Amino acid sequence: MSTKTKSGLLPILLAVGAVVAVTQTDIAQEVINSVDIEEKEADEVLVPPSFRGRVKECTPEQLTKDRRCKDLPVVPIDAEKMPYIARHISVAWSTGQPALLHYEVDLKARELKNRSVCTPARLAELKPKSCDEYPFKSAKEGGPGASTQGVPTIEQNRQGGAVGRAYTVNRLQDGDAFLVVIINPGQIATEEFEG
Amino acid sequence: MLLLRQPVRPSHGQVCLGDYKSDPDTWPEWTDAEFERGVATSPGMIFISIDDTSEFVIVDVRDGTPSTGEAVLFDGVLDVSTLSVTGGGTTTAQSLLLPDSREQKVTITANGTDRSNIRHVTIHFPEYADPDMPDGAWMNL
């Protein structure tokens, strides 16, 4: 696991502009101060600012347990269990990738999306890391243009369970919207996974 | 006897075998120990970790017991009535409705235990073995 540094995460989180939660490091306090949010509020969930209002009434525990906030299905990514995937997603958000995605039910379409970004060449380049793609291939927004990054295989495994659970609990149908949120953002890795 | 052969593209680094009607909150979380073993289990679902590959993993469902020498990934009980064989990160798909809806003995074998090279997984249901229809060479698919 990489060491947290002051230089790695700040630009990302500021760009996301965010409901941030990073309380255990100096950088966390800097972020909290810079975006002028209370520490308690900041200690919970990370979403892009335009979606903060959609989840502000739901606690991280509710988001994790119910996998929804009111009528909005949610895919919670726990940075404590998936620090590098959470990093990848937050970086992707900062570059304009969406947090609100739409469910792709067609397995063939998913496969085409996956193959267009996690190509055999990309897999070979990242090996032994796992090719993580965001937006997910199980979203309409996935595929060409998606961000890819190498992550630990165990995180990829955990993400598969987290995503599958959220889809199943919410009984998502093709095209249904869901919001990706990061729980425990204080645990987001501050550097890319080196393998 | 071969009951089903399902090619699967691993997704999120895994192949998932089990019943999607089981409680998702009980599904495996992939602890460090489970990851070390390469298999994560819950009462109704079994996840097998497989390194990224653009190849299919062939999943067979058979009655009877595995041959000696096969690499055993799991040997225990699975609470399953509708067996789904999928990659990770999805809802149910590719289902096989089993005659029994209960906990039943299951043995899962693979062509090896190295997650970088698992390409053939077999789920054995020993209780479905039919002595009147034993496997012969003609069934040796």
Side-chain angles (χ1 to χ4, degrees):
Chain A
M1 182 104 23
S2 62
T3 305
K4 293 188 177 184
T5 66
K6 285 198 172 193
S7 60
L9 187 59
L10 186 56
I12 298 162
L13 293 181
L14 288 176
V16 173
V19 181
V20 190
V22 191
T23 58
Q24 296 173 354
T25 62
D26 292 341
I27 185 177
Q29 196 56 52
E30 284 183 37
V31 172
I32 289 168
N33 293 342
S34 66
V35 295
D36 193 25
I37 54 179
E38 293 180 12
E39 187 168 339
K40 180 181 181 304
E41 187 178 16
D43 194 21
E44 297 181 341
V45 179
L46 177 64
V47 291
S50 56
F51 291 101
R52 187 178 168 193
R54 301 288 296 270
V55 295
K56 69 179 180 183
E57 293 180 31
C58 297
T59 66
E61 292 74 24
Q62 287 174 311
L63 295 171
T64 301
K65 181 176 180 296
D66 300 339
R67 300 177 184 91
R68 59 190 303 116
C69 186
K70 295 188 172 179
D71 60 347
L72 178 64
V74 162
V75 173
I77 299 296
D78 189 342
E80 190 172 357
K81 298 174 181 173
M82 296 168 271
Y84 290 99
I85 284 178
R87 181 185 192 280
H88 179 208
I89 291 172
S90 62
V91 169
W93 286 344
S94 73
T95 62
Q97 297 286 2
L100 187 70
L101 306 178
H102 297 82
Y103 186 58
E104 173 62 79
V105 74
D106 187 326
L107 295 180
K108 184 66 178 174
R110 290 184 184 194
E111 203 48 51
L112 292 173
K113 291 174 199 289
N114 174 255
R115 284 185 159 197
S116 69
V117 289
C118 289
T119 61
R122 183 68 172 143
L123 297 185
E125 178 188 355
L126 292 173
K127 197 175 179 179
K129 296 176 280 187
S130 176
C131 181
D132 187 48
E133 57 191 295
Y134 187 86
F136 313 134
K137 69 177 180 182
S138 51
K140 299 285 185 189
E141 292 80 0
S147 169
T148 62
Q149 201 165 89
V151 300
T153 300
I154 188 172
E155 289 194 27
Q156 190 67 267
N157 291 162
R158 287 172 176 163
Q159 182 180 225
V163 169
R165 273 188 287 272
Y167 292 163
T168 301
V169 166
N170 284 295
R171 301 174 186 273
L172 291 189
Q173 304 295 312
D174 193 47
D176 284 352
F178 61 94
L179 182 66
V180 180
V181 304
I182 295 176
I183 309 293
N184 292 316
Q187 303 300 314
I188 294 175
T190 54
E191 298 171 355
E192 276 193 40
F193 180 58
E194 296 299 332
Chain B
M1 179 165 52
L2 181 67
L3 306 175
L4 173 76
R5 174 162 288 178
Q6 176 69 56
V8 180
R9 295 257 190 221
S11 179
H12 292 283
Q14 61 204 307
V15 168
C16 305
L17 314 169
D19 198 329
Y20 275 82
K21 287 186 291 188
S22 60
D23 180 359
D25 284 325
T26 68
W27 293 356
E29 294 272 5
W30 281 111
T31 64
D32 291 346
E34 287 172 327
F35 182 71
E36 195 67 30
R37 287 197 303 271
V39 179
T41 64
S42 69
M45 194 72 84
I46 295 172
F47 296 169
I48 300 170
S49 181
I50 295 172
D51 281 351
D52 285 352
T53 176
S54 53
E55 299 175 16
F56 282 109
V57 170
I58 304 300
V59 177
D60 286 348
V61 181
R62 288 180 175 273
D63 67 7
T65 54
S67 308
T68 53
E70 291 189 46
V72 177
L73 301 181
F74 174 81
D75 188 13
V77 170
L78 188 66
D79 188 356
V80 60
S81 57
T82 304
L83 177 70
S84 285
V85 179
T86 69
T90 187
T91 53
T92 185
Q94 291 106 25
S95 297
L96 174 66
L97 189 62
L98 297 171
D100 292 329
S101 176
R102 58 177 169 82
E103 290 186 342
Q104 43 201 312
K105 177 102 171 67
V106 167
T107 304
I108 297 178
T109 60
N111 62 306
T113 56
D114 178 359
R115 62 165 54 87
S116 69
N117 196 37
I118 292 178
R119 295 292 181 272
H120 192 175
V121 173
T122 304
I123 316 170
H124 304 265
F125 287 91
E127 293 168 16
Y128 295 150
D130 184 348
D132 294 330
M133 293 189 67
D135 283 2
W138 61 281
M139 281 299 267
N140 192 23
L141 299 173

